[in-house]
Amino acid sequence: MDFDDQLRRYFGTADLDALHPEAFAAGTERMRVDFGLETNGGRRFALWTLMYILGVAPDLDVAFKDAAERDAARDFMDLFDRANENPD
């Protein structure tokens, strides 16, 4: 699934700017539940990355018990944050 598909799944729209705060909160809660229930490592990591992008991801030590998964998440965080830095 692509990014827009995931947004539609959890929020009913790919346009997050059009969401009411209550709809955003409900969608992120569904994401947290799915994250907690997911057993496939790849899907779990992908869901965590979406939550990170949206600013609602759990802390790494809570999200990932495996050190390699935490390292991969840190790498993603660094890449994402660098890509979104303002070139001031």
Side-chain angles (χ1 to χ4, degrees):
M1 290 192 160
D2 69 11
F3 185 72
D4 287 348
D5 289 338
Q6 290 297 317
L7 293 178
R8 282 186 208 86
R9 174 183 174 139
Y10 291 106
F11 303 105
T13 182
D15 183 8
L16 293 180
D17 292 331
L19 280 179
H20 292 288
E22 297 85 12
F24 183 79
T28 58
E29 181 60 26
R30 284 190 294 276
M31 291 171 70
R32 286 184 186 101
V33 169
D34 284 355
F35 180 78
L37 296 173
E38 183 59 62
T39 58
N40 177 283
R43 286 192 298 253
R44 195 170 196 287
F45 187 81
L47 188 53
W48 181 87
T49 62
L50 177 58
M51 290 190 298
Y52 182 78
I53 290 168
L54 297 175
V56 297
D59 290 336
L60 294 181
D61 59 336
V62 173
F64 303 108
K65 301 302 178 203
D66 182 71
E69 290 175 333
R70 286 191 301 274
D71 289 343
R74 278 189 201 93
D75 290 344
F76 171 80
M77 292 166 64
D78 290 342
L79 289 170
F80 181 80
D81 292 345
R82 267 188 254 138
N84 290 297
E85 286 179 351
N86 291 329
D88 293 82

